[in-house]
Amino acid sequence: MPIFANDQVTFLVAQSVGTLLLLLILLRLFYRRPALRALTWPYLIGALTLSVGIVLPVVLPPLPLLVEHLLLATQVFTWGAVGLILTEHVLVERWARISGVVVPRLARDIVRAVAFGLGVLVVLQLVFNIAPTSIVVSSTILSAVIGLALQDLLKNVIAGIALQLEHPFEVGHWIQVDGGIGKVVEMSWRATRVITVDGNYIIYPNSALATSQLINYSMPQATQALHTQIALSYIHPPNIVKRVLIEAILASPFVTQDPPPSVKVLGYGEYSVNYDLKFWLYDYDRYPDKRDSVMTNAWYALQRAGLKLPLPVREVYTHEETGEDLLRRRAEHLERIRADLQRSAILAALNGAELATLAERAYVRLYGTGDVLVHQGEPGEILFIIRNGRVRVDVRRPDGAVLTVNQLGPGECFGEMALMTGEPRGASVIAAEDSEVLLVAKDAIAPLMLANPSLPEQLGTLLAERRAMTESALNQAKTADALDETVPRATLVQRIRQFFGIDEAASAERRAVER
């Protein structure tokens, strides 16, 4: 009897047309949804065999029994594949997206293999009337031969299943296996694939992975500690070193505040005291870059604090410097500083002699990219003059947003209001690139103020102009952090005189004269 027996040609034609329309509709759906494109070939083969099963009984009746069985077996496999893929896409993947669970590829492959095996047994039993037990008995020797030949592959498959059940890591986790560190990118039947920070692709057989010591840097939490060492001279007190290094570590955006970093004395070397730096990263991705950020910040912080790295450097001199050479080099150094001070608009009121005096008390500091030179709202009594590099000026608004209001380059300065009046910093200043900065403290300029009573008047005029320019920039940026008030020049002059105690010094001098 034909597999799809029906003597009415009209009904067969209607079935064929309906099948064709359904084929076109589903094909359009498959290509509009890329995830369903895997259904294209199983569906095409299934639709084709269905059409053949409908048409052949009319054209060539009756069909051979073997042809009927082959058509039916093809129908079972193709439509079973379509149903399995639809179930996986509509139910499993949708559930995984909603619940946030990642279904490993190996688990899906196992389910597909089991479903395929069941399909084979069903076809053999129902279509060809072959009992599965007879196949198992007749193929015992063949199975033994294949099992021995594939024992390594089977070992990896079983180890892969055990890893899936134990769940020691997931795709995306950073792991260490036998000293090698990498990120898991794929798990298959045979092996687990890992990519290192250098871009090397490592394939670990599952059997070897199951028996190796494994460290997961992404579990049980994403934050992980990282250690690095640094050596410093014996002349520096450890407590000062620890404070400077902790501040440098916390300046990195990749390091957590909680848990906090720690710095401990690791040991005493031949030339140095060795310190261990422990800090926690938000995640382990790009850990060499994050460690580099911490070590770079540490170098600049140590330089600014005057802490030396005790590298065993040998210097060879071809002649001894005389006192005249030392004086000449110092004079050249002070002259360069004096020229930098003269370039600053805020110090333009000083004459040559006053600038030379100020140069002897100014000092130079280095800042790396991203270092914060001053924090908004903190007190300060230092003027910063940029020699090389560039910085940006950021203002934090009441809503927490940060607005960049200015960029400053060589010859420009900031911190003049804090230096002259003692006001808190009105903005944060961050190094946009490696910068060399000249610092002038209140103690350095105070003697000049006391010796030159007209100097506050000149500086007050410059401060009023700078403050007006800053207020204009903030207003143009439409920020809520515009200056609270427009301070008159006279008020600024009075603040300068009070801050440096000029009026008190003048009163004390008059009282001394009267006596």
Side-chain angles (χ1 to χ4, degrees):
M1 178 178 291
I3 184 171
F4 297 105
N6 197 318
D7 296 332
Q8 298 181 5
V9 177
T10 303
F11 180 69
L12 295 177
V13 172
Q15 278 188 322
S16 300
V17 172
T19 303
L20 179 61
L21 290 176
L22 183 60
L23 170 65
L24 294 176
I25 293 173
L26 288 180
L27 282 178
R28 181 177 177 83
L29 175 63
F30 296 161
Y31 276 93
R32 290 183 64 182
R33 304 188 67 175
L36 294 178
R37 288 179 185 173
L39 292 173
T40 303
W41 284 108
Y43 181 78
L44 284 174
I45 296 173
L48 179 62
T49 53
L50 180 61
S51 300
V52 170
I54 293 172
V55 175
L56 279 184
V58 178
V59 179
L60 298 171
L63 290 178
L65 184 62
L66 179 60
V67 174
E68 292 184 10
H69 288 170
L70 290 176
L71 287 174
L72 183 57
T74 304
Q75 291 288 311
V76 172
F77 277 115
T78 55
W79 293 115
V82 171
L84 179 63
I85 295 174
L86 280 175
T87 301
E88 181 180 347
H89 176 73
V90 175
L91 297 180
V92 178
E93 292 189 3
R94 181 179 177 85
W95 168 78
R97 284 196 301 269
I98 294 175
S99 61
V101 176
V102 177
V103 181
R105 175 184 169 184
L106 181 58
R108 296 187 181 190
D109 290 343
I110 292 174
V111 172
R112 291 168 187 163
V114 171
F116 177 79
L118 292 176
V120 170
L121 294 178
V122 169
V123 169
L124 292 175
Q125 177 70 45
L126 299 181
V127 178
F128 296 99
N129 288 325
I130 299 176
T133 54
S134 62
I135 297 177
V136 174
V137 172
S138 61
S139 61
T140 301
I141 299 177
L142 179 62
S143 300
V145 174
I146 294 175
L148 290 174
L150 300 179
Q151 59 179 342
D152 290 337
L153 178 61
L154 293 174
K155 187 191 304 181
N156 288 323
V157 171
I158 295 173
I161 296 174
L163 289 174
Q164 288 294 328
L165 294 175
E166 189 176 353
H167 211 60
F169 55 82
E170 298 177 356
V171 173
H173 283 186
W174 282 85
I175 63 173
Q176 176 177 333
V177 181
D178 295 333
I181 300 177
K183 184 178 182 179
V184 179
V185 294
E186 186 182 357
M187 289 185 64
S188 65
W189 287 83
R190 189 189 71 82
T192 297
R193 291 163 176 81
V194 173
I195 188 166
T196 69
V197 291
D198 295 326
N200 298 323
Y201 202 60
I202 303 177
I203 301 176
Y204 291 105
N206 287 333
S207 58
L209 200 62
T211 57
S212 300
Q213 183 182 22
L214 186 147
I215 300 176
N216 191 332
Y217 290 107
S218 301
M219 290 179 63
Q221 57 189 10
T223 55
Q224 292 291 326
L226 201 63
H227 289 261
T228 189
Q229 285 76 43
I230 195 168
L232 292 170
S233 173
Y234 275 99
I235 63 175
H236 304 310
N239 286 337
I240 294 178
V241 171
K242 292 178 181 179
R243 184 177 69 249
V244 172
L245 289 177
I246 287 178
E247 291 176 358
I249 293 171
L250 291 175
S252 172
F254 308 112
V255 174
T256 67
Q257 303 283 331
D258 186 22
S262 65
V263 178
K264 300 184 184 299
V265 175
L266 193 63
Y268 300 102
E270 185 177 358
Y271 300 100
S272 62
V273 179
N274 301 320
Y275 294 88
D276 177 76
L277 285 62
K278 178 183 178 182
F279 48 92
W280 296 78
L281 304 176
Y282 289 106
D283 57 71
Y284 213 70
D285 285 344
R286 296 172 42 243
Y287 68 91
D289 296 334
K290 298 174 181 179
R291 179 171 53 201
D292 170 75
S293 172
V294 170
M295 296 300 288
T296 300
N297 289 347
W299 189 92
Y300 283 100
L302 293 171
Q303 290 295 315
R304 291 194 295 272
L307 304 179
K308 304 298 182 183
L309 299 174
L311 299 179
V313 178
R314 293 179 176 85
E315 297 182 358
V316 179
Y317 295 92
T318 58
H319 69 281
E320 293 185 2
E321 280 192 319
T322 64
E324 293 181 356
D325 293 331
L326 294 175
L327 291 175
R328 177 178 51 80
R329 287 201 295 112
R330 173 171 172 76
E332 292 174 352
H333 173 70
L334 293 177
E335 177 58 26
R336 287 194 296 269
I337 293 180
R338 189 200 66 78
D340 291 330
L341 295 174
Q342 192 174 23
R343 292 166 62 190
S344 172
I346 199 65
L347 299 178
L350 301 179
N351 58 37
E354 290 170 336
L355 287 173
T357 301
L358 193 60
E360 294 182 355
R361 305 193 63 179
Y363 51 99
V364 179
R365 288 290 182 267
L366 296 175
Y367 293 88
T369 303
D371 280 346
V372 180
L373 283 70
V374 298
H375 293 272
Q376 181 177 345
E378 70 178 6
E381 299 178 354
I382 295 178
L383 173 70
F384 295 78
I385 301 172
I386 303 172
R387 303 184 79 186
N388 298 294
R390 185 164 296 275
V391 301
R392 73 173 191 270
V393 182
D394 290 352
V395 174
R396 182 176 295 277
R397 299 190 292 192
D399 60 0
V402 177
L403 178 67
T404 298
V405 298
N406 204 357
Q407 294 269 351
L408 303 177
E412 296 183 279
C413 65
F414 58 92
E416 64 275 4
M417 291 298 296
L419 173 69
M420 299 299 178
T421 66
E423 289 186 6
R425 307 288 186 186
S428 296
V429 181
I430 298 96
E433 58 187 60
D434 286 8
S435 302
E436 185 180 17
V437 182
L438 194 62
L439 279 66
V440 178
K442 173 190 173 184
D443 295 340
I445 202 170
L448 301 179
M449 292 285 193
L450 296 175
N452 189 351
S454 64
L455 192 56
E457 300 284 341
Q458 302 174 52
L459 294 177
T461 301
L462 292 172
L463 286 181
E465 294 175 357
R466 291 290 296 267
R467 190 177 180 93
M469 292 173 59
T470 303
E471 183 179 12
S472 175
L474 291 174
N475 287 331
Q476 288 178 3
K478 297 181 180 179
T479 175
D481 285 76
L483 300 178
D484 296 333
E485 56 177 346
T486 301
V487 183
R489 169 187 168 279
T491 303
L492 286 173
V493 172
Q494 184 60 30
R495 289 183 182 178
I496 294 173
R497 298 180 69 88
Q498 290 177 353
F499 185 60
F500 285 93
I502 296 175
D503 294 335
E504 295 178 2
S507 299
E509 185 177 351
R510 283 197 302 270
R511 287 196 298 270
V513 171
E514 291 174 357
R515 290 173 184 168

